[in-house]
Amino acid sequence: MSDQTRDPQSHPGVPPKAAYHHGDLPAQLIAAVRDLVELHGPDGFSVAEAARRAGVSSAAPYKHFKDRPEILRGVVSEAMDRLRVAMQTGAAAHPHGSLEAVAAVGRAYVDFARAEPGVFRLVFGLTEGHQNAPDLLAKGEGCFGVVVAAAAACMRLPPDDPDVQSRAYMLWSCVHGHSFLTIDMKHKVASAGIDDWTYLMAISHAVLEYPLRA
Amino acid sequence: MSDQTRDPQSHPGVPPKAAYHHGDLPAQLIAAVRDLVELHGPDGFSVAEAARRAGVSSAAPYKHFKDRPEILRGVVSEAMDRLRVAMQTGAAAHPHGSLEAVAAVGRAYVDFARAEPGVFRLVFGLTEGHQNAPDLLAKGEGCFGVVVAAAAACMRLPPDDPDVQSRAYMLWSCVHGHSFLTIDMKHKVASAGIDDWTYLMAISHAVLEYPLRA
DNA sequence: CGCAAATGTTAGCACTTCTTACATGAAGTC
DNA sequence: GACTTCATGTAAGAAGTGCTAACATTTGCG
């Protein structure tokens, strides 16, 4: 029983660091799942294949995650963290309260969708049946909060103003739809000819400065 | 060999019309799949369960559909037909060229998403890996064409005008995003307090009448 | 009628999720 | 150091899935 022949089917590329106990299996698992989701789509992922990629048996994941949905939720949670950070850094790259800052938040959103379409789809396709996950709910609120903050600064109103909330929601929905259509229609001429920044600036301008109650 | 004991596991509610050969199994299958998708989400559907619901063996579907994705594609195709019809009738209920007609197209879209969130998610989540289905592509173009037509009439420009195309795309993306967020956030206060019609009229107004190249 | 095609069935393979029982290594205690 | 304890791995297996192969029945057409 030498500790070198521990893994009869491991990929040869795996560094022979951890012998029996894996260094950080949960993190490696959600990384593997992220790759798989990006490769085969949100539904084309299997716990077994993720375990295979991590070099462990197909039962090992269940020591760290209750079931398959919980693994997915882990991926989503991590992705939402990254999305929120990206949106914040996008806004911070422009003057506080500027329209550009609002558009930059949207661009971070679209960029995320374009860079990780599978994960993006997973994040917003997982709400079906997972409404009971309070942490995901909270992270979603956090992301929306970034939009609200940028919109409020631009409108010089407090973030809890109802008009700010409404317009932030409208902005979010437009960018959300644009992101989905972008990754869905990558074969077609993207966005009927307008590039991201033009789209985002136009939408931000129109939504934030147009009188809502006509 | 009486023809009454034909089906050892049929549901008792099925009328004893078809004996061995099913009346119209493909249609009954996609109806069953539609129900299942609505019940358990786009990925929580199995060919076996659909066959069970249709009262046939688990191998019968493969006489009509090549594989599981093809069944899904059938559901999506049928759904896109209904969506396009709904959008057209929505527009026809208002004066040609009016802003209300544009908003009504959007409302049909949102209503569809709200009525069949599972199918709606399936329609726009299936693009991953199914870009090669030319009929679905064409039906998607048909739906977008309804938006373009309404926008063109409202702007009094020909439908192939680039500005019409751009603004129609923006309209579509906004309504698309609003639809997704609506079905995702049905637990929360919907849409930050604005109802569908207000949202749609405001967006249509802002997108169609605001100068794009600021 | 008689045969071919269409449409159903059962049996079975490879694969998946997830559970149960067992093995191993690491950490703490005396 | 020896001994227990616990977290984390494995192997084996039950139940379900997609899909195929081989067989059965009904329908339609000459």
PDB file of all heavy atoms in Angstrom, chain C residues 12-25:
ATOM      1  P    DG C  12     -32.243  -8.958 -20.513  1.00  0.00           P
ATOM      2  OP1  DG C  12     -31.569 -10.215 -20.875  1.00  0.00           O
ATOM      3  OP2  DG C  12     -32.790  -8.751 -19.159  1.00  0.00           O
ATOM      4  O5'  DG C  12     -31.238  -7.767 -20.841  1.00  0.00           O
ATOM      5  C5'  DG C  12     -30.765  -7.628 -22.168  1.00  0.00           C
ATOM      6  C4'  DG C  12     -29.951  -6.356 -22.294  1.00  0.00           C
ATOM      7  O4'  DG C  12     -30.843  -5.222 -22.397  1.00  0.00           O
ATOM      8  C3'  DG C  12     -29.027  -6.057 -21.093  1.00  0.00           C
ATOM      9  O3'  DG C  12     -27.743  -5.778 -21.585  1.00  0.00           O
ATOM     10  C2'  DG C  12     -29.680  -4.846 -20.446  1.00  0.00           C
ATOM     11  C1'  DG C  12     -30.252  -4.170 -21.685  1.00  0.00           C
ATOM     12  N9   DG C  12     -31.249  -3.151 -21.407  1.00  0.00           N
ATOM     13  C8   DG C  12     -32.302  -3.230 -20.529  1.00  0.00           C
ATOM     14  N7   DG C  12     -33.021  -2.139 -20.497  1.00  0.00           N
ATOM     15  C5   DG C  12     -32.404  -1.288 -21.402  1.00  0.00           C
ATOM     16  C6   DG C  12     -32.727   0.026 -21.795  1.00  0.00           C
ATOM     17  O6   DG C  12     -33.667   0.731 -21.401  1.00  0.00           O
ATOM     18  N1   DG C  12     -31.846   0.516 -22.750  1.00  0.00           N
ATOM     19  C2   DG C  12     -30.780  -0.173 -23.260  1.00  0.00           C
ATOM     20  N2   DG C  12     -30.034   0.453 -24.158  1.00  0.00           N
ATOM     21  N3   DG C  12     -30.463  -1.415 -22.901  1.00  0.00           N
ATOM     22  C4   DG C  12     -31.315  -1.898 -21.981  1.00  0.00           C
ATOM     23  P    DC C  13     -26.449  -5.921 -20.624  1.00  0.00           P
ATOM     24  OP1  DC C  13     -25.804  -7.206 -20.944  1.00  0.00           O
ATOM     25  OP2  DC C  13     -26.891  -5.622 -19.241  1.00  0.00           O
ATOM     26  O5'  DC C  13     -25.511  -4.755 -21.120  1.00  0.00           O
ATOM     27  C5'  DC C  13     -25.490  -4.414 -22.511  1.00  0.00           C
ATOM     28  C4'  DC C  13     -25.043  -2.979 -22.679  1.00  0.00           C
ATOM     29  O4'  DC C  13     -26.183  -2.102 -22.548  1.00  0.00           O
ATOM     30  C3'  DC C  13     -24.026  -2.523 -21.629  1.00  0.00           C
ATOM     31  O3'  DC C  13     -23.005  -1.770 -22.273  1.00  0.00           O
ATOM     32  C2'  DC C  13     -24.843  -1.663 -20.678  1.00  0.00           C
ATOM     33  C1'  DC C  13     -25.881  -1.079 -21.622  1.00  0.00           C
ATOM     34  N1   DC C  13     -27.154  -0.702 -20.961  1.00  0.00           N
ATOM     35  C2   DC C  13     -27.736   0.556 -21.239  1.00  0.00           C
ATOM     36  O2   DC C  13     -27.170   1.311 -22.029  1.00  0.00           O
ATOM     37  N3   DC C  13     -28.897   0.887 -20.633  1.00  0.00           N
ATOM     38  C4   DC C  13     -29.483   0.036 -19.795  1.00  0.00           C
ATOM     39  N4   DC C  13     -30.623   0.411 -19.225  1.00  0.00           N
ATOM     40  C5   DC C  13     -28.909  -1.245 -19.487  1.00  0.00           C
ATOM     41  C6   DC C  13     -27.751  -1.565 -20.091  1.00  0.00           C
ATOM     42  P    DA C  14     -21.588  -1.626 -21.583  1.00  0.00           P
ATOM     43  OP1  DA C  14     -20.533  -1.945 -22.567  1.00  0.00           O
ATOM     44  OP2  DA C  14     -21.644  -2.330 -20.284  1.00  0.00           O
ATOM     45  O5'  DA C  14     -21.529  -0.056 -21.301  1.00  0.00           O
ATOM     46  C5'  DA C  14     -21.794   0.856 -22.366  1.00  0.00           C
ATOM     47  C4'  DA C  14     -22.179   2.203 -21.798  1.00  0.00           C
ATOM     48  O4'  DA C  14     -23.516   2.127 -21.243  1.00  0.00           O
ATOM     49  C3'  DA C  14     -21.264   2.686 -20.661  1.00  0.00           C
ATOM     50  O3'  DA C  14     -20.881   4.027 -20.918  1.00  0.00           O
ATOM     51  C2'  DA C  14     -22.134   2.559 -19.413  1.00  0.00           C
ATOM     52  C1'  DA C  14     -23.520   2.784 -19.999  1.00  0.00           C
ATOM     53  N9   DA C  14     -24.603   2.234 -19.193  1.00  0.00           N
ATOM     54  C8   DA C  14     -24.642   1.021 -18.574  1.00  0.00           C
ATOM     55  N7   DA C  14     -25.763   0.808 -17.903  1.00  0.00           N
ATOM     56  C5   DA C  14     -26.492   1.966 -18.121  1.00  0.00           C
ATOM     57  C6   DA C  14     -27.765   2.376 -17.696  1.00  0.00           C
ATOM     58  N6   DA C  14     -28.541   1.629 -16.916  1.00  0.00           N
ATOM     59  N1   DA C  14     -28.198   3.587 -18.088  1.00  0.00           N
ATOM     60  C2   DA C  14     -27.402   4.340 -18.856  1.00  0.00           C
ATOM     61  N3   DA C  14     -26.193   4.067 -19.320  1.00  0.00           N
ATOM     62  C4   DA C  14     -25.793   2.851 -18.923  1.00  0.00           C
ATOM     63  P    DC C  15     -19.719   4.660 -20.038  1.00  0.00           P
ATOM     64  OP1  DC C  15     -18.896   5.442 -20.974  1.00  0.00           O
ATOM     65  OP2  DC C  15     -19.123   3.624 -19.159  1.00  0.00           O
ATOM     66  O5'  DC C  15     -20.498   5.695 -19.097  1.00  0.00           O
ATOM     67  C5'  DC C  15     -21.344   6.678 -19.707  1.00  0.00           C
ATOM     68  C4'  DC C  15     -22.380   7.133 -18.726  1.00  0.00           C
ATOM     69  O4'  DC C  15     -23.252   6.035 -18.375  1.00  0.00           O
ATOM     70  C3'  DC C  15     -21.837   7.597 -17.369  1.00  0.00           C
ATOM     71  O3'  DC C  15     -21.680   9.021 -17.375  1.00  0.00           O
ATOM     72  C2'  DC C  15     -22.946   7.206 -16.380  1.00  0.00           C
ATOM     73  C1'  DC C  15     -23.947   6.457 -17.222  1.00  0.00           C
ATOM     74  N1   DC C  15     -24.508   5.270 -16.517  1.00  0.00           N
ATOM     75  C2   DC C  15     -25.788   5.353 -15.977  1.00  0.00           C
ATOM     76  O2   DC C  15     -26.415   6.414 -16.100  1.00  0.00           O
ATOM     77  N3   DC C  15     -26.305   4.285 -15.317  1.00  0.00           N
ATOM     78  C4   DC C  15     -25.596   3.173 -15.199  1.00  0.00           C
ATOM     79  N4   DC C  15     -26.151   2.150 -14.558  1.00  0.00           N
ATOM     80  C5   DC C  15     -24.274   3.058 -15.748  1.00  0.00           C
ATOM     81  C6   DC C  15     -23.779   4.123 -16.393  1.00  0.00           C
ATOM     82  P    DT C  16     -21.043   9.757 -16.112  1.00  0.00           P
ATOM     83  OP1  DT C  16     -20.457  11.012 -16.629  1.00  0.00           O
ATOM     84  OP2  DT C  16     -20.227   8.795 -15.334  1.00  0.00           O
ATOM     85  O5'  DT C  16     -22.309  10.126 -15.217  1.00  0.00           O
ATOM     86  C5'  DT C  16     -23.317  11.012 -15.713  1.00  0.00           C
ATOM     87  C4'  DT C  16     -24.530  10.950 -14.815  1.00  0.00           C
ATOM     88  O4'  DT C  16     -24.961   9.569 -14.743  1.00  0.00           O
ATOM     89  C3'  DT C  16     -24.251  11.322 -13.363  1.00  0.00           C
ATOM     90  O3'  DT C  16     -24.584  12.681 -13.143  1.00  0.00           O
ATOM     91  C2'  DT C  16     -25.171  10.421 -12.554  1.00  0.00           C
ATOM     92  C1'  DT C  16     -25.665   9.382 -13.541  1.00  0.00           C
ATOM     93  N1   DT C  16     -25.410   7.981 -13.081  1.00  0.00           N
ATOM     94  C2   DT C  16     -26.339   7.364 -12.282  1.00  0.00           C
ATOM     95  O2   DT C  16     -27.358   7.904 -11.899  1.00  0.00           O
ATOM     96  N3   DT C  16     -26.019   6.074 -11.920  1.00  0.00           N
ATOM     97  C4   DT C  16     -24.895   5.360 -12.287  1.00  0.00           C
ATOM     98  O4   DT C  16     -24.712   4.214 -11.909  1.00  0.00           O
ATOM     99  C5   DT C  16     -23.965   6.079 -13.122  1.00  0.00           C
ATOM    100  C7   DT C  16     -22.709   5.406 -13.581  1.00  0.00           C
ATOM    101  C6   DT C  16     -24.266   7.336 -13.475  1.00  0.00           C
ATOM    102  P    DT C  17     -24.046  13.356 -11.802  1.00  0.00           P
ATOM    103  OP1  DT C  17     -24.110  14.809 -12.077  1.00  0.00           O
ATOM    104  OP2  DT C  17     -22.784  12.709 -11.429  1.00  0.00           O
ATOM    105  O5'  DT C  17     -25.136  12.976 -10.696  1.00  0.00           O
ATOM    106  C5'  DT C  17     -26.466  13.456 -10.800  1.00  0.00           C
ATOM    107  C4'  DT C  17     -27.325  12.823  -9.714  1.00  0.00           C
ATOM    108  O4'  DT C  17     -27.170  11.385  -9.791  1.00  0.00           O
ATOM    109  C3'  DT C  17     -26.907  13.205  -8.288  1.00  0.00           C
ATOM    110  O3'  DT C  17     -28.058  13.585  -7.559  1.00  0.00           O
ATOM    111  C2'  DT C  17     -26.286  11.928  -7.728  1.00  0.00           C
ATOM    112  C1'  DT C  17     -27.010  10.850  -8.495  1.00  0.00           C
ATOM    113  N1   DT C  17     -26.246   9.568  -8.630  1.00  0.00           N
ATOM    114  C2   DT C  17     -26.798   8.420  -8.101  1.00  0.00           C
ATOM    115  O2   DT C  17     -27.859   8.396  -7.499  1.00  0.00           O
ATOM    116  N3   DT C  17     -26.032   7.289  -8.282  1.00  0.00           N
ATOM    117  C4   DT C  17     -24.818   7.193  -8.927  1.00  0.00           C
ATOM    118  O4   DT C  17     -24.231   6.122  -9.024  1.00  0.00           O
ATOM    119  C5   DT C  17     -24.306   8.424  -9.462  1.00  0.00           C
ATOM    120  C7   DT C  17     -22.996   8.441 -10.189  1.00  0.00           C
ATOM    121  C6   DT C  17     -25.031   9.535  -9.293  1.00  0.00           C
ATOM    122  P    DC C  18     -27.903  14.443  -6.240  1.00  0.00           P
ATOM    123  OP1  DC C  18     -29.175  15.130  -5.991  1.00  0.00           O
ATOM    124  OP2  DC C  18     -26.646  15.187  -6.327  1.00  0.00           O
ATOM    125  O5'  DC C  18     -27.744  13.307  -5.112  1.00  0.00           O
ATOM    126  C5'  DC C  18     -28.815  12.380  -4.947  1.00  0.00           C
ATOM    127  C4'  DC C  18     -28.335  11.195  -4.130  1.00  0.00           C
ATOM    128  O4'  DC C  18     -27.434  10.394  -4.902  1.00  0.00           O
ATOM    129  C3'  DC C  18     -27.572  11.543  -2.837  1.00  0.00           C
ATOM    130  O3'  DC C  18     -28.396  11.189  -1.739  1.00  0.00           O
ATOM    131  C2'  DC C  18     -26.301  10.712  -2.925  1.00  0.00           C
ATOM    132  C1'  DC C  18     -26.644   9.684  -3.992  1.00  0.00           C
ATOM    133  N1   DC C  18     -25.488   9.100  -4.709  1.00  0.00           N
ATOM    134  C2   DC C  18     -25.346   7.711  -4.764  1.00  0.00           C
ATOM    135  O2   DC C  18     -26.189   7.010  -4.234  1.00  0.00           O
ATOM    136  N3   DC C  18     -24.287   7.181  -5.412  1.00  0.00           N
ATOM    137  C4   DC C  18     -23.384   7.985  -5.982  1.00  0.00           C
ATOM    138  N4   DC C  18     -22.355   7.409  -6.615  1.00  0.00           N
ATOM    139  C5   DC C  18     -23.504   9.406  -5.934  1.00  0.00           C
ATOM    140  C6   DC C  18     -24.561   9.923  -5.288  1.00  0.00           C
ATOM    141  P    DT C  19     -27.898  11.273  -0.227  1.00  0.00           P
ATOM    142  OP1  DT C  19     -28.998  11.865   0.548  1.00  0.00           O
ATOM    143  OP2  DT C  19     -26.557  11.889  -0.180  1.00  0.00           O
ATOM    144  O5'  DT C  19     -27.752   9.734   0.202  1.00  0.00           O
ATOM    145  C5'  DT C  19     -28.601   8.772  -0.390  1.00  0.00           C
ATOM    146  C4'  DT C  19     -28.314   7.378   0.170  1.00  0.00           C
ATOM    147  O4'  DT C  19     -27.324   6.719  -0.658  1.00  0.00           O
ATOM    148  C3'  DT C  19     -27.761   7.376   1.595  1.00  0.00           C
ATOM    149  O3'  DT C  19     -28.363   6.304   2.317  1.00  0.00           O
ATOM    150  C2'  DT C  19     -26.269   7.121   1.392  1.00  0.00           C
ATOM    151  C1'  DT C  19     -26.239   6.272   0.126  1.00  0.00           C
ATOM    152  N1   DT C  19     -25.013   6.450  -0.698  1.00  0.00           N
ATOM    153  C2   DT C  19     -24.353   5.334  -1.153  1.00  0.00           C
ATOM    154  O2   DT C  19     -24.699   4.217  -0.932  1.00  0.00           O
ATOM    155  N3   DT C  19     -23.239   5.627  -1.913  1.00  0.00           N
ATOM    156  C4   DT C  19     -22.750   6.880  -2.241  1.00  0.00           C
ATOM    157  O4   DT C  19     -21.745   7.020  -2.924  1.00  0.00           O
ATOM    158  C5   DT C  19     -23.499   7.993  -1.702  1.00  0.00           C
ATOM    159  C7   DT C  19     -23.051   9.388  -1.988  1.00  0.00           C
ATOM    160  C6   DT C  19     -24.587   7.728  -0.970  1.00  0.00           C
ATOM    161  P    DT C  20     -28.072   6.139   3.881  1.00  0.00           P
ATOM    162  OP1  DT C  20     -29.372   5.743   4.462  1.00  0.00           O
ATOM    163  OP2  DT C  20     -27.362   7.332   4.373  1.00  0.00           O
ATOM    164  O5'  DT C  20     -27.077   4.899   3.958  1.00  0.00           O
ATOM    165  C5'  DT C  20     -27.392   3.702   3.262  1.00  0.00           C
ATOM    166  C4'  DT C  20     -26.232   2.719   3.351  1.00  0.00           C
ATOM    167  O4'  DT C  20     -25.207   3.093   2.400  1.00  0.00           O
ATOM    168  C3'  DT C  20     -25.549   2.658   4.720  1.00  0.00           C
ATOM    169  O3'  DT C  20     -25.402   1.308   5.124  1.00  0.00           O
ATOM    170  C2'  DT C  20     -24.198   3.317   4.478  1.00  0.00           C
ATOM    171  C1'  DT C  20     -23.944   2.998   3.013  1.00  0.00           C
ATOM    172  N1   DT C  20     -23.064   3.959   2.323  1.00  0.00           N
ATOM    173  C2   DT C  20     -22.048   3.503   1.519  1.00  0.00           C
ATOM    174  O2   DT C  20     -21.824   2.311   1.351  1.00  0.00           O
ATOM    175  N3   DT C  20     -21.300   4.486   0.915  1.00  0.00           N
ATOM    176  C4   DT C  20     -21.466   5.851   1.049  1.00  0.00           C
ATOM    177  O4   DT C  20     -20.733   6.637   0.455  1.00  0.00           O
ATOM    178  C5   DT C  20     -22.545   6.268   1.899  1.00  0.00           C
ATOM    179  C7   DT C  20     -22.813   7.719   2.102  1.00  0.00           C
ATOM    180  C6   DT C  20     -23.288   5.320   2.492  1.00  0.00           C
ATOM    181  P    DA C  21     -24.863   0.986   6.605  1.00  0.00           P
ATOM    182  OP1  DA C  21     -25.701  -0.120   7.112  1.00  0.00           O
ATOM    183  OP2  DA C  21     -24.738   2.238   7.388  1.00  0.00           O
ATOM    184  O5'  DA C  21     -23.409   0.417   6.336  1.00  0.00           O
ATOM    185  C5'  DA C  21     -23.237  -0.574   5.341  1.00  0.00           C
ATOM    186  C4'  DA C  21     -21.752  -0.779   5.058  1.00  0.00           C
ATOM    187  O4'  DA C  21     -21.261   0.354   4.293  1.00  0.00           O
ATOM    188  C3'  DA C  21     -20.878  -0.855   6.319  1.00  0.00           C
ATOM    189  O3'  DA C  21     -19.960  -1.933   6.184  1.00  0.00           O
ATOM    190  C2'  DA C  21     -20.181   0.481   6.361  1.00  0.00           C
ATOM    191  C1'  DA C  21     -20.074   0.824   4.885  1.00  0.00           C
ATOM    192  N9   DA C  21     -19.983   2.255   4.625  1.00  0.00           N
ATOM    193  C8   DA C  21     -20.764   3.249   5.152  1.00  0.00           C
ATOM    194  N7   DA C  21     -20.446   4.458   4.736  1.00  0.00           N
ATOM    195  C5   DA C  21     -19.380   4.240   3.877  1.00  0.00           C
ATOM    196  C6   DA C  21     -18.605   5.118   3.107  1.00  0.00           C
ATOM    197  N6   DA C  21     -18.783   6.440   3.088  1.00  0.00           N
ATOM    198  N1   DA C  21     -17.623   4.569   2.351  1.00  0.00           N
ATOM    199  C2   DA C  21     -17.455   3.247   2.373  1.00  0.00           C
ATOM    200  N3   DA C  21     -18.130   2.315   3.054  1.00  0.00           N
ATOM    201  C4   DA C  21     -19.099   2.892   3.792  1.00  0.00           C
ATOM    202  P    DC C  22     -18.988  -2.259   7.425  1.00  0.00           P
ATOM    203  OP1  DC C  22     -18.909  -3.738   7.499  1.00  0.00           O
ATOM    204  OP2  DC C  22     -19.381  -1.467   8.604  1.00  0.00           O
ATOM    205  O5'  DC C  22     -17.582  -1.737   6.892  1.00  0.00           O
ATOM    206  C5'  DC C  22     -17.099  -2.231   5.639  1.00  0.00           C
ATOM    207  C4'  DC C  22     -15.947  -1.369   5.149  1.00  0.00           C
ATOM    208  O4'  DC C  22     -16.390   0.000   4.965  1.00  0.00           O
ATOM    209  C3'  DC C  22     -14.729  -1.302   6.095  1.00  0.00           C
ATOM    210  O3'  DC C  22     -13.581  -1.718   5.396  1.00  0.00           O
ATOM    211  C2'  DC C  22     -14.673   0.177   6.489  1.00  0.00           C
ATOM    212  C1'  DC C  22     -15.302   0.831   5.271  1.00  0.00           C
ATOM    213  N1   DC C  22     -15.815   2.205   5.508  1.00  0.00           N
ATOM    214  C2   DC C  22     -15.226   3.275   4.823  1.00  0.00           C
ATOM    215  O2   DC C  22     -14.296   3.058   4.034  1.00  0.00           O
ATOM    216  N3   DC C  22     -15.684   4.536   5.039  1.00  0.00           N
ATOM    217  C4   DC C  22     -16.685   4.732   5.892  1.00  0.00           C
ATOM    218  N4   DC C  22     -17.108   5.978   6.073  1.00  0.00           N
ATOM    219  C5   DC C  22     -17.304   3.662   6.592  1.00  0.00           C
ATOM    220  C6   DC C  22     -16.833   2.424   6.379  1.00  0.00           C
ATOM    221  P    DA C  23     -12.169  -1.820   6.149  1.00  0.00           P
ATOM    222  OP1  DA C  23     -11.536  -3.059   5.645  1.00  0.00           O
ATOM    223  OP2  DA C  23     -12.381  -1.590   7.583  1.00  0.00           O
ATOM    224  O5'  DA C  23     -11.335  -0.595   5.568  1.00  0.00           O
ATOM    225  C5'  DA C  23     -11.121  -0.493   4.168  1.00  0.00           C
ATOM    226  C4'  DA C  23     -10.225   0.700   3.861  1.00  0.00           C
ATOM    227  O4'  DA C  23     -10.960   1.923   4.113  1.00  0.00           O
ATOM    228  C3'  DA C  23      -8.958   0.795   4.698  1.00  0.00           C
ATOM    229  O3'  DA C  23      -7.921   1.271   3.859  1.00  0.00           O
ATOM    230  C2'  DA C  23      -9.320   1.807   5.779  1.00  0.00           C
ATOM    231  C1'  DA C  23     -10.255   2.739   5.023  1.00  0.00           C
ATOM    232  N9   DA C  23     -11.272   3.417   5.824  1.00  0.00           N
ATOM    233  C8   DA C  23     -12.163   2.843   6.682  1.00  0.00           C
ATOM    234  N7   DA C  23     -12.987   3.696   7.248  1.00  0.00           N
ATOM    235  C5   DA C  23     -12.593   4.922   6.726  1.00  0.00           C
ATOM    236  C6   DA C  23     -13.073   6.230   6.930  1.00  0.00           C
ATOM    237  N6   DA C  23     -14.081   6.521   7.752  1.00  0.00           N
ATOM    238  N1   DA C  23     -12.463   7.225   6.253  1.00  0.00           N
ATOM    239  C2   DA C  23     -11.452   6.918   5.432  1.00  0.00           C
ATOM    240  N3   DA C  23     -10.915   5.727   5.158  1.00  0.00           N
ATOM    241  C4   DA C  23     -11.548   4.768   5.834  1.00  0.00           C
ATOM    242  P    DT C  24      -6.412   1.164   4.263  1.00  0.00           P
ATOM    243  OP1  DT C  24      -5.683   0.674   3.065  1.00  0.00           O
ATOM    244  OP2  DT C  24      -6.346   0.441   5.544  1.00  0.00           O
ATOM    245  O5'  DT C  24      -5.980   2.654   4.506  1.00  0.00           O
ATOM    246  C5'  DT C  24      -6.200   3.589   3.465  1.00  0.00           C
ATOM    247  C4'  DT C  24      -6.163   4.991   4.030  1.00  0.00           C
ATOM    248  O4'  DT C  24      -7.303   5.210   4.882  1.00  0.00           O
ATOM    249  C3'  DT C  24      -4.933   5.292   4.893  1.00  0.00           C
ATOM    250  O3'  DT C  24      -4.222   6.313   4.238  1.00  0.00           O
ATOM    251  C2'  DT C  24      -5.527   5.767   6.230  1.00  0.00           C
ATOM    252  C1'  DT C  24      -6.921   6.187   5.815  1.00  0.00           C
ATOM    253  N1   DT C  24      -7.978   6.201   6.866  1.00  0.00           N
ATOM    254  C2   DT C  24      -8.591   7.398   7.154  1.00  0.00           C
ATOM    255  O2   DT C  24      -8.330   8.450   6.600  1.00  0.00           O
ATOM    256  N3   DT C  24      -9.569   7.315   8.125  1.00  0.00           N
ATOM    257  C4   DT C  24      -9.961   6.172   8.814  1.00  0.00           C
ATOM    258  O4   DT C  24     -10.837   6.210   9.661  1.00  0.00           O
ATOM    259  C5   DT C  24      -9.271   4.968   8.451  1.00  0.00           C
ATOM    260  C7   DT C  24      -9.618   3.686   9.126  1.00  0.00           C
ATOM    261  C6   DT C  24      -8.316   5.040   7.503  1.00  0.00           C
ATOM    262  P    DG C  25      -2.652   6.452   4.428  1.00  0.00           P
ATOM    263  OP1  DG C  25      -2.042   6.505   3.085  1.00  0.00           O
ATOM    264  OP2  DG C  25      -2.182   5.481   5.438  1.00  0.00           O
ATOM    265  O5'  DG C  25      -2.546   7.915   5.058  1.00  0.00           O
ATOM    266  C5'  DG C  25      -3.195   8.967   4.383  1.00  0.00           C
ATOM    267  C4'  DG C  25      -3.649  10.012   5.366  1.00  0.00           C
ATOM    268  O4'  DG C  25      -4.672   9.462   6.226  1.00  0.00           O
ATOM    269  C3'  DG C  25      -2.562  10.541   6.302  1.00  0.00           C
ATOM    270  O3'  DG C  25      -2.450  11.935   6.060  1.00  0.00           O
ATOM    271  C2'  DG C  25      -3.077  10.236   7.710  1.00  0.00           C
ATOM    272  C1'  DG C  25      -4.567  10.069   7.485  1.00  0.00           C
ATOM    273  N9   DG C  25      -5.274   9.207   8.411  1.00  0.00           N
ATOM    274  C8   DG C  25      -5.049   7.881   8.638  1.00  0.00           C
ATOM    275  N7   DG C  25      -5.888   7.362   9.502  1.00  0.00           N
ATOM    276  C5   DG C  25      -6.717   8.413   9.862  1.00  0.00           C
ATOM    277  C6   DG C  25      -7.802   8.448  10.761  1.00  0.00           C
ATOM    278  O6   DG C  25      -8.271   7.540  11.441  1.00  0.00           O
ATOM    279  N1   DG C  25      -8.365   9.727  10.824  1.00  0.00           N
ATOM    280  C2   DG C  25      -7.926  10.806  10.108  1.00  0.00           C
ATOM    281  N2   DG C  25      -8.582  11.947  10.284  1.00  0.00           N
ATOM    282  N3   DG C  25      -6.908  10.783   9.265  1.00  0.00           N
ATOM    283  C4   DG C  25      -6.350   9.563   9.192  1.00  0.00           C
TER     284       DG C  25
END
